Amino acid sequence: MDLSLRKCTLTDLDDLVEMSKATFREAFEKDNNPEDFKVYLQEAFHPRKLARELSNIYTHFYFVSNGKQRVAYMKLNVASAQTDVHHPRAMEIERIYVSQEHQGKQIGAWMLGEIKSIARKFHKEFVWLGVWEHNPKAISFYQRHGFVKFEEHPYYIGNDKQTDWLLRLDLK
């Protein structure tokens, strides 16, 4: 594999909207109420919302490509852009998605390595993320890579209140 990481800019907005919706749909559509899911997709990945996030100096989107083919993306937050933990030495992994056709190829593990490098460049002591409590495949993946559960928080898909586990990985 010839994986590379590229930071997204506003010129990537249309591609980011498309990839965000597609990967989220692949991961969670089958497990959610169709109406709630539709509302969530429209709100969370609306072009205006993603444009604001791309313009935030504390939010960083990256595309992952294998050669010329885009295979994954991630969203990292620091400082005030973090959704829950607002520790100055923390970085949130808000999104890390590999397209379904490229799962099982160690791309997620490669991405975690890149995230750790980025976090260290930002002088962070730990990274953290939220993962749906009913996503055992993802939970197992993160735990294999050293993440530990430290809390829970509510997460809404439309009107459906779900629970995310908050997982943390210390970098030292």
Side-chain angles (χ1 to χ4, degrees):
M1 289 203 133
D2 181 25
L3 296 177
S4 62
L5 190 69
R6 181 177 66 78
K7 190 168 183 183
C8 299
T9 68
L10 280 171
T11 62
D12 296 308
L13 180 61
D14 291 341
D15 291 337
L16 183 61
V17 168
E18 181 183 327
M19 181 163 236
S20 298
K21 285 182 176 181
T23 55
F24 198 82
R25 201 178 281 120
E26 290 169 354
F28 301 113
E29 185 172 36
K30 68 187 178 315
D31 299 316
N32 284 278
N33 172 286
E35 285 306 310
D36 284 327
F37 195 80
K38 181 180 176 183
V39 168
Y40 181 85
L41 277 183
Q42 290 172 345
E43 291 175 0
F45 306 116
H46 192 282
R48 279 191 302 270
K49 183 175 189 313
L50 288 180
R52 278 192 311 272
E53 293 173 354
L54 277 165
S55 298
N56 184 334
I57 63 169
Y58 300 121
T59 297
H60 309 276
F61 286 93
Y62 295 88
F63 283 138
V64 176
S65 297
N66 181 17
K68 294 185 181 206
Q69 184 178 22
R70 190 171 302 121
V71 297
Y73 89 103
M74 60 189 178
K75 178 185 180 189
L76 307 176
N77 297 320
V78 295
S80 61
Q82 294 180 85
T83 58
D84 279 274
V85 177
H86 295 282
H87 192 287
R89 296 289 203 179
M91 175 178 280
E92 175 186 17
I93 306 169
E94 186 175 350
R95 297 186 189 135
I96 179 170
Y97 287 98
V98 177
S99 62
Q100 196 167 33
E101 65 189 274
H102 296 285
Q103 291 182 9
K105 299 178 181 178
Q106 301 301 311
I107 295 170
W110 181 87
M111 291 171 73
L112 284 180
E114 294 297 305
I115 290 167
K116 288 188 239 179
S117 294
I118 292 167
R120 287 183 178 108
K121 286 178 188 170
F122 277 86
H123 306 289
K124 300 305 177 187
E125 294 175 2
F126 67 96
V127 294
W128 68 275
L129 54 82
V131 61
W132 189 28
E133 69 179 342
H134 297 296
N135 190 348
K137 183 179 171 185
I139 291 168
S140 175
F141 170 79
Y142 294 122
Q143 289 175 335
R144 278 194 318 273
H145 288 277
F147 283 80
V148 294
K149 181 180 175 185
F150 67 93
E151 202 173 307
E152 296 180 355
H153 76 163
Y155 191 84
Y156 288 87
I157 299 292
N159 292 316
D160 183 20
K161 182 180 179 183
Q162 301 179 359
T163 300
D164 272 4
W165 288 7
L166 299 184
L167 306 180
R168 171 185 173 139
L169 175 67
D170 291 323
L171 298 174
K172 295 189 175 194

